[in-house]
Amino acid sequence: MVIPVHDVNPVRRTPWVTYALIAANVVVFLSTPGVAGSVAGDSSLAQLCHLQAFLDHYAAVPRELIHHQTPRLVPTGDIGVGPQGAGCLVGPPSYDKSPELSVLTAMFLHGSWLHLLGNMLFLLIFGNNIEDRMGHVRFTLFYAVCGYAASYGFALLNDDSGDPLIGASGAIAGVLGAYLVLYPKARVWVLVPFLIFLPLRLPAWLVLGFWFVLQAVYSSGEGISDAGTVAYAAHIVGFLAGMLLAWPLKPGTPPPPEPRGLLFGRRARPRHQ
């Protein structure tokens, strides 16, 4: 897996929407119950019960999205003691949940610091150019549409799943798909783990194409042991949605500047005529 750190593709205007999305994701994460436990590496039962209730309220659940029904009993966030010991209580919901709206709220929820920072890194590197090309309003709509497409696409493939679906990955996958369509030749600085982290400058089509292939492989359950905990199918749907939505903009998109200087970790030789 390669880690992108910077792209050689300047923007003409400040990507305020991209910055706002990153800030909103960070604020929501810090406000999520159980964050203190994730930072310290340990969570109490009370924190886990609060987190479970919070996710049931605000996360997208495939079964609810497809059948448009919410469960009669949900986690309350309280602790109860039964024959098998202490556990999280369930009861009738004290709120009205809209499955459709839960897709939007779920796009700002993350399960760990690694989950959050990984998503925000990709959004920061690739989102600014897509916002620059689309404009602030169209980029906002594009981001939301890709997120909804990813969530509902995953739900269609897992319509009986009651597991909460959280994260901005589906929407950000749409950003990556759009970047591949609009700026395939843009150069991206990446870190490749090979004994050490080796810095390379690679074309975007190679970086993002490799990322997409990995998602497809992981979605099939091959090459990774925790494929069931990550919605790789949502990444694939979001990526394809982003490509389709960005395709009409391709003819009018100016190419990125041709990079000079370092190339693939080495200084390019000047050519004389």
Side-chain angles (χ1 to χ4, degrees), residues 74-259:
V74 298
T76 64
D78 299 321
I79 300 176
V81 180
Q84 297 181 348
C88 300
L89 288 178
V90 296
S94 59
Y95 50 83
D96 292 326
K97 180 179 180 180
S98 168
E100 295 82 4
L101 185 58
S102 70
V103 176
L104 181 61
T105 56
M107 289 164 57
F108 294 90
L109 301 176
H110 292 83
S112 67
W113 279 105
L114 182 62
H115 187 199
L116 172 71
L117 296 178
N119 277 347
M120 296 305 101
L121 175 64
F122 275 80
L123 179 57
L124 179 63
I125 294 173
F126 300 104
N128 59 348
N129 290 106
I130 304 306
E131 181 180 351
D132 185 59
R133 179 63 183 88
M134 293 184 174
H136 305 311
V137 175
R138 282 200 295 178
F139 176 72
T140 303
L141 295 174
F142 166 83
Y143 185 88
V145 168
C146 289
Y148 268 84
S151 294
Y152 273 96
F154 179 83
L156 286 172
L157 298 173
N158 302 270
D159 60 329
D160 289 329
S161 174
D163 297 330
L165 182 64
I166 61 173
S169 303
I172 295 173
V175 173
L176 303 186
Y179 198 100
L180 179 61
V181 168
L182 299 178
Y183 304 106
K185 296 181 179 180
R187 298 288 175 169
V188 181
W189 279 103
V190 299
L191 296 178
V192 180
F194 183 75
L195 299 180
I196 60 173
F197 282 102
L198 183 65
L200 296 176
R201 192 174 67 188
L202 305 175
W205 67 264
L206 181 59
V207 176
L208 299 179
F210 179 67
W211 181 89
F212 181 78
V213 170
L214 279 183
Q215 306 312 299
V217 171
Y218 292 163
S219 179
S220 68
E222 300 292 334
I224 190 168
S225 60
D226 63 342
T229 64
V230 180
Y232 291 109
H235 301 173
I236 295 174
V237 175
F239 191 92
L240 295 176
M243 291 185 68
L244 290 174
L245 291 172
W247 198 266
L249 299 176
K250 183 176 176 61
T253 302
E258 187 66 26

Side-chain angles (χ1 to χ4, degrees), residues 4-20:
V5 293
H6 177 65
D7 67 332
V8 186
N9 196 2
V11 295
R12 299 166 298 172
R13 49 190 163 187
T14 304
W16 294 118
V17 175
T18 299
Y19 293 158

